[in-house]
Amino acid sequence: MKRLLVTGGAGFIGSNFVRHLVGHTDHRILVLDKFTYAGNLASLAGLPAKRVEVVHGDITDAQLVDRLVNEADGIVHFAAESHNDNSLQDPLPFVRTNLLGTYTLLEAARKYDTRFHHISTDEVYGDLDLDDPGRFTETTPYNPSSPYSSTKAGSDLLVRAWVRSFDVPATISNCSNNYGPYQHVEKFIPRQITNILRGIRPKLYGRGNNVRDWIHTDDHSSAVLAILTEGQIGETYMIGADGEHDNRTVVELILELMGLPPDAYDNVPDRAGHDLRYAVNPTKLREELGWRPHYCDFAQGLRATIDWYRTHEDWWAPAKDATEAFYARLGQ
Ligand code: NAD
Ligand code: TDX
């Protein structure tokens, strides 16, 4: 492949993937991003203009998508409305972007027979009990809980149908919770780090027993590149790095790493329909493609992430007040 179209390439994970491509391949990269509140050109700063071109546009714009896909040898589709709490307040943008946007890209991929990789989430499988010994696999039945996860589940099913009915050469990956630099301050880990940097107490939903399976975003990117280059067309791959922790433990660890007492946080009202536990079994990816995560020590990855937010206030400060005003309206 020579020229890759990366949708949502100005977001948290998409921009990481663009940097990963620049460092590990010689592809040219065309970013298509709407620059919603979550897109940030500063996340792509410093990349060579010869390799990375940015188009400001919407994945539901069929004419624009047709033109860009016609020029591309492959598509990696990250663009989405991505935050559960937003989807509980206003689901419509999730339906538009995650469903209609994916449909629009698939139709163009079908027309030009273009390699398509769809980025999805472990949330499409619903949640697990805390004492369930199992983890999600590629054959776990879909059972999404929130407007966000239901639209991601719908987008996965569109991809599967376009593979089966129209032979679109597509793969899907379902990844667990990402952390690392450039993540929007609405999300759990950066919200707590930047709260502490601002002198605000971290906010834990409910009792904080909910478990998430954390992976560093660099590891997500290396897994996506492995699937894009070596994955079997029509297949789904789970991406995870054996990083299960409950939310209370994560908040306590952030407080400890930032030199504060472990109980210096507030319990706030729980999220509606809050999924209890996510856990990913990445055996297929490890055994079939030989992929391994680089970040195996969560505390070390978290320390580096804290350092990044400490030294990049110019990147996150513009979004902080509006984000906290949103949570204040919800009492969270
Ligand atoms: P993000 O919210 O940080 O970024 C999303 C990007 O998509 C932004 O740059 C935004 O401007 C762009 N976008 C939104 N609507 C668009 C539209 N209609 N047209 C073009 N661009 C549009 O999200 P993220 O956390 O980087 O997630 C990226 C992808 O990874 C999503 O598909 C998400 O479902 C998936 N995912 C995320 C996680 C996670 O932990 N964050 C885990 C698994 C999977
Ligand atoms: O302030 C908070 N306090 C809190 O306790 C916030 C923002 C969150 N939480 C909890 C809710 C979740 O149990 O922390 C956990 C993580 O929350 P989010 O960062 O909102 O992530 P989550 O809802 O788990 O979804 C994330 O992972 C899967 C991404 O946002 C999705 O895009 C991805 O699909």
Side-chain angles (χ1 to χ4, degrees):
M1 266 176 246
K2 292 278 174 274
R3 194 172 160 87
L4 279 183
L5 177 63
V6 177
T7 72
F12 164 47
I13 306 171
S15 64
N16 185 286
F17 184 68
V18 171
R19 283 192 299 279
H20 191 81
L21 285 176
V22 168
H24 293 82
T25 72
D26 56 8
H27 299 315
R28 283 188 300 140
I29 302 135
L30 188 58
V31 168
L32 171 58
D33 201 292
K34 187 178 176 180
F35 291 95
T36 67
Y37 78 96
N40 192 340
L41 200 53
S43 304
L44 295 168
L47 293 174
K50 271 194 200 149
R51 299 277 310 277
V52 183
E53 188 186 331
V54 179
V55 175
H56 186 159
D58 192 319
I59 56 166
T60 64
D61 179 343
Q63 246 187 327
L64 173 65
V65 164
D66 184 282
R67 179 168 66 75
L68 298 180
V69 171
N70 188 19
E71 293 168 9
D73 302 304
I75 305 165
V76 187
H77 174 34
F78 291 90
E81 286 293 338
S82 70
H83 193 39
N84 275 300
D85 290 321
N86 290 343
S87 83
L88 294 164
Q89 301 307 311
D90 183 12
L92 184 58
F94 290 75
V95 173
R96 266 193 84 257
T97 290
N98 300 357
L99 288 169
L100 191 57
T102 302
Y103 158 80
T104 306
L105 288 159
L106 282 169
E107 281 293 82
R110 171 189 177 193
K111 180 170 168 187
Y112 296 108
D113 194 28
T114 308
R115 175 79 173 87
F116 187 91
H117 181 71
H118 179 62
I119 303 295
S120 193
T121 167
D122 59 0
E123 295 191 22
V124 300
Y125 303 108
D127 60 354
L128 297 161
D129 285 334
L130 292 179
D131 59 358
D132 188 330
R135 301 190 288 177
F136 300 135
T137 72
E138 290 77 6
T139 56
T140 303
Y142 276 50
N143 187 27
S145 314
S146 73
Y148 162 67
S149 54
S150 64
T151 57
K152 290 299 290 187
S155 69
D156 291 14
L157 299 183
L158 291 174
V159 177
R160 289 182 181 202
W162 262 242
V163 169
R164 171 131 178 198
S165 305
F166 306 125
D167 291 323
V168 169
T171 43
I172 300 174
S173 53
N174 295 85
C175 189
S176 62
N177 282 61
N178 284 223
Y179 74 99
Y182 298 101
Q183 187 169 29
H184 195 279
V185 291
E186 69 190 355
K187 302 296 197 306
F188 178 52
I189 287 178
R191 183 180 183 207
Q192 314 314 334
I193 295 170
T194 56
N195 270 4
I196 293 169
L197 292 174
R198 279 274 167 97
I200 307 168
R201 284 162 72 91
K203 309 293 180 206
L204 193 59
Y205 293 173
R207 305 305 312 160
N209 295 328
N210 308 63
V211 171
R212 296 294 182 264
D213 190 350
W214 293 100
I215 181 173
H216 195 282
T217 188
D218 287 356
D219 287 329
H220 189 177
S221 289
S222 68
V224 170
L225 186 57
I227 297 164
L228 186 68
T229 49
E230 292 159 59
Q232 292 273 341
I233 298 302
E235 290 292 309
T236 292
Y237 297 85
M238 305 296 308
I239 305 176
D242 304 322
E244 282 188 69
H245 300 280
D246 68 53
N247 293 341
R248 192 170 48 247
T249 303
V250 175
V251 164
E252 288 171 356
L253 186 55
I254 292 171
L255 283 161
E256 185 194 320
L257 291 170
M258 296 182 76
L260 290 167
D263 60 352
Y265 63 84
D266 295 332
N267 292 100
V268 295
D270 210 351
R271 174 184 284 173
H274 196 173
D275 278 338
L276 200 50
R277 171 173 162 248
Y278 305 139
V280 160
N281 181 340
T283 303
K284 177 174 169 178
L285 180 67
R286 292 179 78 113
E287 292 191 351
E288 287 187 16
L289 303 187
W291 173 85
R292 296 284 181 278
H294 171 76
Y295 287 87
C296 299
D297 179 340
F298 182 59
Q300 199 182 322
L302 204 51
R303 190 179 293 114
T305 304
I306 291 168
D307 285 346
W308 188 88
Y309 280 92
R310 233 191 253 290
T311 52
H312 290 78
E313 187 166 353
D314 55 332
W315 184 88
W316 59 262
K320 184 65 182 169
D321 289 346
T323 303
E324 287 309 310
F326 167 80
Y327 283 123
R329 284 196 295 278
L330 303 178
Q332 292 178 318

